[in-house]
């Protein structure tokens, strides 16, 4: 009834069409898969670089714009945090420089002091001054707050104390002098002073 040859040719033609369609579908799936994988892999690579920067305390690294999705939000938060970490690094340096670099030799007693941070930089401060041949002053302070503002306030306080060397034997006079100096430098913009 129906010639076998025509049926076989139709089957072979349909097989070719199906194989071509399958190969084309696989290629499309591979391309789309690679594009989707890249949309995850590239942001993850950037975030990994950022995590390594934090590990090695390289706070100058910034992530590129990773889009308007969750990766983009992570990049924005990361970049803001790196600015804060950079400020903490500066504050830590300031705080470290304010602390005594060498212990004075009084010949009468041994002095030891150490500031141990719990992770955040703050306004912790100590120092020792010899006010005269027979008098010795120990300064201990803690500015409320953390970060660079507390470290800078402590630097200002240390400068005020050093400027008050003529009255170091009277803590009341030193505090009044510091209060006066702070009032003179207060611009009204800083609520902490």
């Amino acid at each position: 009834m129906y010639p076998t040859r025509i049926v076989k040719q139709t089957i072979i033609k349909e097989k070719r069409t199906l194989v071509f369609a399958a190969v084309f579908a696989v290629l499309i799936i591979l391309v789309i898969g690679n594009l989707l994988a890249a949309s995850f892999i590239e942001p993850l690579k950037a975030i990994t670089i950022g995590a390594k920067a934090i590990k090695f305390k390289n706070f100058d690294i910034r992530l590129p714009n990773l889009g308007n999705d969750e990766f983009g939000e992570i990049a924005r938060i990361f970049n803001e945090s790196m600015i804060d970490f950079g400020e903490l690094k500066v504050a830590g340096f300031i705080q470290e420089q304010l602390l005594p670099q060498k212990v004075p030799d009084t010949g009468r007693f041994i002095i030891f002091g150490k500031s141990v941070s719990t992770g955040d930089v703050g306004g912790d401060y100590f120092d020792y001054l010899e006010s005269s041949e027979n008098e010795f002053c120990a300064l201990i302070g803690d500015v409320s707050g953390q970060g660079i503002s507390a470290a800078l306030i402590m630097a200002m306080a240390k400068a005020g104390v050093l400027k008050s060397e003529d009255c170091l034997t009277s803590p009341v006079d030193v505090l009044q002098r510091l209060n006066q100096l702070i009032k003179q430098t207060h611009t009204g913009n800083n609520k902490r002073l």
Side-chain angles (χ1 to χ4, degrees):
M1 298 199 278
Y2 204 73
T4 315
R5 186 177 58 80
I6 295 176
V7 171
K8 285 182 180 179
Q9 287 177 347
T10 304
I11 290 173
I12 291 173
K13 186 178 177 184
E14 290 300 321
K15 280 183 180 178
R16 284 185 194 150
T17 303
L18 284 174
V19 167
F20 177 75
V23 168
F24 184 73
V26 167
L27 288 176
I28 296 263
I29 289 170
L30 287 174
V31 168
I32 291 173
N34 282 334
L35 289 174
L36 287 174
S39 71
F40 285 100
I41 291 172
E42 294 306 316
L44 288 175
K45 283 181 184 177
I47 291 169
T48 301
I49 289 170
K52 287 179 181 177
I54 291 173
K55 178 181 178 182
F56 295 111
K57 298 183 180 179
N58 180 3
F59 303 127
D60 297 327
I61 297 290
R62 300 293 182 272
L63 295 182
N65 182 359
L66 298 177
N68 293 324
D69 57 3
E70 291 80 5
F71 289 123
E73 184 64 20
I74 289 171
R76 283 186 288 283
I77 291 169
F78 175 86
N79 291 338
E80 290 170 8
S81 298
M82 291 301 269
I83 292 168
D84 293 341
F85 289 148
E87 287 180 359
L88 284 175
K89 185 177 178 180
V90 169
F93 177 76
I94 292 170
Q95 184 179 27
E96 184 179 308
Q97 296 304 308
L98 290 174
L99 298 175
Q101 301 302 308
K102 62 179 184 168
V103 177
D105 183 15
T106 65
R108 296 175 284 178
F109 47 86
I110 297 173
I111 301 169
F112 176 80
K114 185 172 184 170
S115 178
V116 179
S117 176
T118 59
D120 291 331
V121 176
D124 298 336
Y125 170 72
F126 68 90
D127 204 350
Y128 346 92
L129 300 170
E130 207 163 339
S131 58
S132 68
E133 287 292 321
N134 295 323
E135 294 179 334
F136 185 82
C137 299
L139 305 171
I140 300 171
D142 185 8
V143 173
S144 63
Q146 297 174 339
I148 197 161
S149 61
L152 290 174
I153 290 170
M154 189 52 70
M156 187 173 69
K158 179 176 182 171
V161 168
L162 293 176
K163 191 174 179 180
S164 305
E165 282 190 82
D166 59 322
C167 61
L168 284 178
T169 57
S170 172
V172 171
D173 291 342
V174 172
L175 290 175
Q176 285 176 344
R177 178 87 49 92
L178 283 174
N179 189 43
Q180 182 183 14
L181 289 170
I182 289 171
K183 281 184 178 179
Q184 287 173 352
T185 60
H186 182 50
T187 62
N189 293 334
N190 193 339
K191 305 271 190 258
R192 299 178 82 126
L193 296 178

